[in-house]
Amino acid sequence: RRLAVLVSGRGSNLQALLDAIAQQRLDAEIVGVFSDKADAHALQRVAAPLRWSADPKAFASRAGFDAELADAVQAVRPDWVVCAGYMRILGASFVARFEGRLLNIHPSLLPRYRGLHTHARALEAGDTEHGASVHFVVPELDAGTVIAQAPIPVLPGDTPETLAARLLPREHALLVAAVGLAASGRLAERGGQAFCDAQ
Ligand code: GRF
């Protein structure tokens, strides 16, 4: 299965996919890594031919950047497009081109805490449980069908930083498992629910 991965920063989730592929825990190939930041460390985790980046500020509109990004992603003929620490909102035109095979990992137990600053918001709410979700991407932010989630406890004295640090390895395991399920063709979506059509 051909994976295109969208990144914006450190790329630890991308690295989790790369490691799983290298260790034969994930039957897939990363055919392109795409970023809105030319200096994203994530881009350095793959060979130069796989890297693509463009500066959104060089485009008159979000739709203009998204169209360029979509063309670049389409060019590598991905079976799945995975947002892994991608920090820009994908417009409806981009989503429309890949909907149904466009995934995102989000650091909260959706539907709680769509959007940013999820760890701080969970702490402010006094939640005793937090976690991450892998979901299908739809035009509405962080609102697509959830495929799988990884819960962690919130511990006394937690800060957004300690919570994020405890969650990150769980995100990595969750992303590999969810992408593996999707990439194997055993994942179906019906009425807002994700089903594993395990044979
Ligand atoms: C991760 O917590 C991810 O859930 C969020 O961005 C963070 C950075 O991820 N979307 P990465 O290290 O760049 O993969």
Side-chain angles (χ1 to χ4, degrees), residues 9-14 84-87 105-107 119 168 171-172:
R10 172 186 48 192
S12 72
N13 278 286
L14 166 65
Y86 186 66
M87 299 310 281
I105 181 155
H106 178 76
H119 314 298
L168 201 55
E171 287 185 43
H172 297 161

Side-chain angles (χ1 to χ4, degrees), residues 105-106 132-134 148-150 169-179:
I105 181 155
H106 178 76
S133 308
V134 174
Q149 300 187 300
R170 301 279 288 132
E171 287 185 43
H172 297 161
L174 174 66
L175 184 62
V176 169
V179 170

Side-chain angles (χ1 to χ4, degrees), residues 7 41 49 66 92 96 104 107 128 130 148 158 160 173 182 185 187 198:
V7 297
H41 180 64
D66 277 3
N104 180 47
T128 55
H130 188 42
D158 260 334
L187 189 65

